[in-house]
Amino acid sequence: MNPLVVVIVAVFAAAAVLALIRLVIGPSILDRAVAADVLLTEVLCILGADMVINKHTQSLPAMLIIAAVGVFGSIAVARFVARKENPR
């Protein structure tokens, strides 16, 4: 295996572990939402790195769907927190 691939996998694995820790221990819902966004971003980066390393574009539709889920999820959490803080 290429040494660059090993470094990429190690960095993404370390970042994923740290994001999972933040996702589990919180303490607030906003911390968990940011950790979930970080994990989705890591998945996007891993798919992008796979596309570059293996020279293909088959993962592009999955990347678009994951990006849309991340954006809509962040918007939903932000609206939920805003309603919770400012009840009408």
Side-chain angles (χ1 to χ4, degrees):
M1 197 161 31
N2 189 352
L4 182 61
V5 174
V6 173
V7 170
I8 290 171
V9 169
V11 169
F12 282 136
V17 167
L18 292 173
L20 280 172
I21 290 170
R22 177 54 58 192
L23 189 65
V24 170
I25 64 172
S28 71
I29 191 166
L30 293 177
D31 291 330
R32 290 183 172 99
V34 170
D37 284 342
V38 168
L39 282 175
L40 284 175
T41 303
E42 285 185 46
V43 170
L44 284 173
C45 291
I46 289 169
L47 287 173
D50 174 60
M51 286 176 24
V52 169
I53 291 168
N54 295 323
K55 298 178 178 136
H56 67 83
T57 58
Q58 296 171 350
S59 302
L60 218 59
M63 290 175 71
L64 290 172
I65 292 169
I66 291 169
V69 167
V71 168
F72 293 138
S74 296
I75 291 170
V77 169
R79 290 189 69 166
F80 173 75
V81 170
R83 279 192 194 151
K84 192 174 180 182
E85 290 179 356
N86 296 325
R88 291 183 186 193

